[in-house]
């Protein structure tokens, strides 16, 4: 087998994401018939420590155009990596990191670098004529992720009164990924029916979840329970809950408090936030909380982990931003017990894989995640299987940019056949 496939062409273009905003797509050619392409997502609720997403700031697209990032690919990155072996992912990513020369990718833009990084991986897989998940993960790749379906939105993902950002269902009694997807879709459609019957709006938010004006998290979970039961499943046995508090979005630095405008302006400090989560976990089968406290409160995260970490998954998103340095700090401080992986938070595939490896070696769970501004690219579905993450967040079973990932996982499960594994209860101590 040929082990040297020189990159012959690299080019990028501006395309639109699921919100109608510009993003970048890259193509990497090894020959006229071996091509890899990749499109980069974009977040609305972003952590302060994420790598920089380069935007033009001109009048086009309200300042959100990415033509400078496109030029960085076509004029700077291309010159550096054309001729390199497409199979040498780490060397190619290192070359781009050195070319950028900054800690947060502000020079080239994390979006420009990631588009190329992912396209390189896909071109390599195509050159070897193997699936992307197999190229990234090797022969031990076999675990299908449980879908963490965001079926009700709030916060920055929806214009409603719900302050917390995402409410998710996890079908933990399913025996296969295919069955889990069906269960989640059924609950989703029954939730729509219930909301319609009770006069609530059923327009969807950025990630496909419904966005009714509900009073608080407790009321949200009660509606989820109604939908689960109407679908013929048992709450806590067949389906459990997860949430993304996105606490950094609620935090006011001047007051040092978390503000809840949807709850008539109630303010809570870190201790009261932890108490709120404890109460919700007692009343509902809440097994995972993401970003329960703001991104700089390491002491609060230690307290949260000490109080709830034994029986609950505590996921750091804004806290860790897929950055090995911040993950290392969290491990040392025993802050959280799971890491959300968003490849565009760090800027290259190599760094994202380093983050996953560090987390998993420390016993932290890993959750592969989309962004609220997505594309039809299903790269993260392959990534979730490649690293045996066991969990994926990619929105509701609604909107093509979300279902593209779910459908890709169906195909992967079919390809793996009898070797496919699915253990949805394992991360939550409910096996």
């Amino acid at each position: 087998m040929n082990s040297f496939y020189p990159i012959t062409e690299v080019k990028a273009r501006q395309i639109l994401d699921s919100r109608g905003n510009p993003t970048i797509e890259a193509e990497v050619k090894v020959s006229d018939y071996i091509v890899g392409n990749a499109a980069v997502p974009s977040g609305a609720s972003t952590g302060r420590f994420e790598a920089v997403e380069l935007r033009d700031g001109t009048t086009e697209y309200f300042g959100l155009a990415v033509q400078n990032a496109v030029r960085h690919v076509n004029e700077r990155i291309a010159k550096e990596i054309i001729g390199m072996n497409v199979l040498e992912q780490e060397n190619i990513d290192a070359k781009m990191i050195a070319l950028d020369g900054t800690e947060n990718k502000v020079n080239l833009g994390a979006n420009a670098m990631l588009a190329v990084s992912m396209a390189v991986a896909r071109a390599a897989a195509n050159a070897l004529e193997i699936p992307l998940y197999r190229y990234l993960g090797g022969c031990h790749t076999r675990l299908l992720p449980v879908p963490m379906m965001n079926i009700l939105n709030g916060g920055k993902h929806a214009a409603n009164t719900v302050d917390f950002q995402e409410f998710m269902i996890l079908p933990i009694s399913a025996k296969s990924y295919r069955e889990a997807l069906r269960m989640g879709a059924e609950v989703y459609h029954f939730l729509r029916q219930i909301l319609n019957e009770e006069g609530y709006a059923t327009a969807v938010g950025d990630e496909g979840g419904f966005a009714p004006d509900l009073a608080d998290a407790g009321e949200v979970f009660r509606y989820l329970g109604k939908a689960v039961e109407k679908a013929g499943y048992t709450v806590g046995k067949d389906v459990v809950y997860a949430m993304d508090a996105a606490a950094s979005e609620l935090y006011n630095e001047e007051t040092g408090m978390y503000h809840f405008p949807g709850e008539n302006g109630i303010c809570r400090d870190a201790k009261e936030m932890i108490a709120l989560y404890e109460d919700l976990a007692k009343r509902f089968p809440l097994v995972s909380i993401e970003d329960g406290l703001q991104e700089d409160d390491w002491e609060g995260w230690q307290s949260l982990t000490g109080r709830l970490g034994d029986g609950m998954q505590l996921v750091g998103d804004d806290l860790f931003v897929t950055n090995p340095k911040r993950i290392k700090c969290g491990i040392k401080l025993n802050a959280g017990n799971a890491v959300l992986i968003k490849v565009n938070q760090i800027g290259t595939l190599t760094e994202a894989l380093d983050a996953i490896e560090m987390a998993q070696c420390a016993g932290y769970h890993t959750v592969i995640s989309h962004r609220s501004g997505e594309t039809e690219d299903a790269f993260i579905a392959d990534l979730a299987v490649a690293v045996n993450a066991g969990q994926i967040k990619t929105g509701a079973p609604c909107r093509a940019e979300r279902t593209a990932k779910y459908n890709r996982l169906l195909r992967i499960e079919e390809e793996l056949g009898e070797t496919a594994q699915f253990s949805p209860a394992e991360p939550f101590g409910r096996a």
Side-chain angles (χ1 to χ4, degrees):
M1 178 183 290
N2 183 13
S3 61
F4 187 80
Y5 297 88
I7 295 172
T8 59
E9 184 179 350
V10 179
K11 65 179 180 180
R13 65 181 63 88
Q14 178 175 274
I15 63 171
L16 296 182
D17 69 16
S18 59
R19 282 196 289 257
N21 292 329
T23 189
I24 184 169
E25 179 182 61
E27 278 185 12
V28 170
K29 285 189 177 182
V30 176
S31 67
D32 289 340
Y33 61 91
I34 300 176
V35 182
N37 54 40
V40 175
S42 176
S45 174
T46 55
R48 285 193 294 124
F49 302 104
E50 292 190 27
V52 173
E53 180 184 66
L54 197 63
R55 300 282 183 176
D56 295 348
T58 62
T59 56
E60 291 187 3
Y61 286 103
F62 309 97
L64 298 178
V66 294
Q67 295 294 3
N68 283 329
V70 168
R71 277 191 289 272
H72 288 329
V73 172
N74 294 338
E75 298 174 10
R76 299 177 66 186
I77 294 175
K79 291 179 182 178
E80 291 291 323
I81 71 170
I82 284 177
M84 294 185 71
N85 187 356
V86 77
L87 302 182
E88 296 181 353
Q89 182 79 42
E90 190 166 347
N91 288 341
I92 292 168
D93 287 347
K95 180 77 76 171
M96 289 193 289
I97 291 169
L99 180 64
D100 176 82
T102 66
E103 183 75 18
N104 61 354
K105 317 297 194 296
V106 69
N107 188 352
L108 296 175
N111 44 350
M113 295 170 65
L114 182 63
V116 174
S117 184
M118 294 196 304
V120 163
R122 194 168 264 134
N126 291 341
L128 296 176
E129 298 183 343
I130 58 176
L132 178 60
Y133 65 86
R134 183 71 69 202
Y135 173 70
L136 295 176
C139 63
H140 199 59
T141 293
R142 59 189 179 188
L143 183 64
L144 274 294
V146 57
M148 303 177 75
M149 290 188 176
N150 173 15
I151 66 171
L152 198 144
N153 294 173
K156 277 202 168 184
H157 289 177
N160 62 354
T161 59
V162 178
D163 295 307
F164 288 136
Q165 191 161 275
E166 299 175 19
F167 293 86
M168 293 163 275
I169 55 170
L170 292 80
I172 63 165
S173 68
K175 299 299 186 291
S176 65
Y177 168 77
R178 181 178 64 255
E179 184 182 358
L181 185 63
R182 175 181 59 78
M183 291 172 65
E186 289 170 352
V187 173
Y188 177 78
H189 287 295
F190 276 114
L191 179 60
R192 180 200 298 270
Q193 184 182 112
I194 291 167
L195 292 172
N196 266 328
E197 290 172 352
E198 299 197 17
Y200 287 105
T202 53
V204 299
D206 286 344
E207 298 181 359
F210 304 116
D213 286 329
L214 300 179
D216 54 25
E219 187 171 18
V220 170
F221 287 130
R222 284 191 289 273
Y223 271 91
L224 297 189
K226 291 179 182 180
V228 170
E229 291 172 359
K230 195 162 186 176
Y233 303 116
T234 302
V235 175
K237 178 183 177 184
D238 298 314
V239 178
V240 294
Y241 305 145
M243 63 182 284
D244 175 7
S248 293
E249 305 293 343
L250 302 174
Y251 186 69
N252 185 304
E253 289 189 4
E254 293 183 2
T255 65
M257 303 285 283
Y258 297 87
H259 292 240
F260 289 74
E263 295 183 39
N264 297 316
I266 287 176
C267 295
R268 295 181 172 96
D269 62 19
K271 291 182 179 179
E272 290 170 322
M273 292 288 282
I274 295 171
L276 172 61
Y277 300 140
E278 285 182 315
D279 177 63
L280 290 171
K282 289 176 182 176
R283 295 160 54 200
F284 307 101
L286 177 61
V287 300
S288 179
I289 297 175
E290 178 186 329
D291 279 350
L293 295 173
Q294 59 103 350
E295 59 204 341
D296 252 345
D297 187 6
W298 291 102
E299 185 177 342
W301 270 91
Q302 286 178 295
S303 179
L304 174 64
T305 307
R307 293 271 289 275
L308 294 175
D310 286 343
M312 182 179 292
Q313 179 172 264
L314 300 171
V315 187
D317 174 16
D318 293 344
L319 181 71
F320 294 134
V321 291
T322 316
N323 188 315
K325 291 181 180 179
R326 291 186 66 85
I327 294 169
K328 184 177 181 179
C329 183
I331 293 168
K332 182 178 180 180
L333 296 175
N334 192 31
N337 56 25
V339 179
L340 200 75
I341 300 295
K342 296 174 175 174
V343 286
N344 81 317
Q345 286 181 324
I346 191 65
T348 66
L349 178 58
T350 296
E351 290 168 294
L353 291 171
D354 287 344
I356 293 167
E357 182 179 31
M358 178 178 288
Q360 291 180 338
C361 286
Y364 277 48
H365 297 142
T366 49
V367 182
I368 309 302
S369 177
H370 64 166
R371 301 306 299 257
S372 53
E374 262 296 337
T375 74
E376 63 274 24
D377 193 333
F379 191 100
I380 63 168
D382 283 74
L383 179 62
V385 177
V387 300
N388 292 314
Q391 299 173 74
I392 191 169
K393 274 183 62 178
T394 189
C398 168
R399 298 174 56 122
E401 77 280 359
R402 315 293 155 183
T403 57
K405 281 73 165 172
Y406 289 130
N407 291 340
R408 173 60 184 152
L409 288 166
L410 286 172
R411 299 182 192 105
I412 293 174
E413 184 178 47
E414 186 176 288
E415 288 176 15
L416 290 174
E418 292 183 1
T419 66
Q421 293 185 359
F422 187 69
S423 304
E426 186 274 329
F428 315 108
R430 291 169 177 257

